[in-house]
Amino acid sequence: DLYRKVFVFRKDPSDAYVVLRARLEQPLHNFTVCLRSYTDLTRPHSLFSYATKAQDNEILLFKPKPEEYRFYVGGKFVTFRVPEGHRDWEHVCASWESATGIAEFWLNGKPWPRKGLQRGYMVGATAAILLGQEQDSFGGGFDLYNSFSGELTDVYLWDTGLSPDKMRAAFLSLRLPPALLAWKSLSYEVKGDVVVKPRLRE
């Protein structure tokens, strides 16, 4: 149970990463991914990378610069411009639904204007899911200068789009519906220099 704990990625740049194991029975027509990060990086870095053998950026949350997030589905992306952080924790949730191609992005419990992405697409189920690196091939192909350095916590993946109430609940660390990946019951493996530590503050 990683409740009130964080992954600390100590080095910059880094070859370290964390592999997450999710039980996916079938392709995803809808999903929501949420996580909380704390970093002083200004260079590009990957937060959540979900690759299949057919598509290395099947799902990707990527931060090319401090005032921008990129959300990829099936190799295509939309950009969400954000105010530059105050070097504090940032909580992000990104959700997508195949039927409408609507991509939602929430930062610190607030929604950004919705965008269109990959309508009718299906996200493959056989995936390598990594924190800390951006995959350019299935489970590998890392560029160290896209690696994450800092602290990550509260990582979740659902096979549904969360309602606005649940998006806010994720930000506030309240009760959440059962997930494919849940921070409180995470199946993971650390590769390299990543340390699990208590959170410094709530």
Side-chain angles (χ1 to χ4, degrees):
D1 182 4
L2 290 170
Y3 180 61
R4 295 208 169 159
K5 296 205 166 82
V6 301
F7 289 133
V8 182
F9 294 78
R10 296 192 326 149
K11 286 174 25 200
D12 172 29
S14 168
D15 57 1
Y17 58 100
V18 178
V19 181
L20 305 183
R21 294 193 176 79
R23 287 183 192 82
L24 282 119
E25 316 278 304
Q26 58 217 29
L28 299 174
H29 296 269
N30 310 284
F31 69 82
T32 306
V33 58
C34 295
L35 56 82
R36 214 179 290 274
S37 68
Y38 189 31
T39 180
D40 57 7
L41 289 177
T42 53
R43 63 164 174 76
H45 56 277
S46 172
L47 293 162
F48 181 94
S49 171
Y50 176 118
T52 59
K53 292 196 163 121
Q55 174 53 254
D56 54 357
N57 294 336
E58 190 76 329
I59 302 172
L60 175 64
L61 268 178
F62 191 76
K63 208 168 179 199
K65 45 184 189 256
E67 63 282 359
E68 195 176 292
Y69 280 91
R70 277 187 197 167
F71 175 34
Y72 287 75
V73 177
K76 305 257 169 53
F77 70 89
V78 284
T79 298
F80 294 93
R81 284 176 187 79
V82 299
E84 192 165 338
H86 303 296
R87 299 283 174 259
D88 202 348
W89 283 97
E90 286 190 2
H91 183 266
V92 295
C93 287
S95 81
W96 171 84
E97 61 181 25
S98 176
T100 59
I102 290 285
E104 271 186 39
F105 180 83
W106 292 65
L107 176 66
N108 295 335
K110 296 190 178 66
W112 255 234
R114 288 173 279 203
K115 301 200 171 182
L117 182 63
Q118 290 286 53
R119 189 175 191 160
Y121 188 77
M122 246 176 8
V123 169
T126 309
I129 308 174
L130 305 188
L131 303 176
Q133 298 287 350
E134 192 255 310
Q135 304 175 71
D136 284 328
S137 59
F138 187 72
F142 308 143
D143 173 349
L144 297 190
Y145 290 95
N146 287 334
S147 64
F148 178 78
S149 165
E151 306 191 14
L152 282 180
T153 188
D154 294 347
V155 180
Y156 288 86
L157 175 67
W158 288 272
D159 58 359
T160 55
L162 290 195
S163 68
D165 283 354
K166 292 284 184 279
M167 289 287 200
R168 283 186 279 271
F171 169 58
L172 297 167
S173 296
L174 303 177
R175 278 192 63 142
L176 293 166
L180 298 171
L181 285 172
W183 190 248
K184 289 181 179 155
S185 58
L186 202 64
S187 175
Y188 69 92
E189 189 182 348
V190 168
K191 303 280 194 179
D193 195 344
V194 182
V195 185
V196 175
K197 296 291 282 182
R199 252 174 90 166
L200 288 174
R201 61 183 186 76
E202 287 313 300

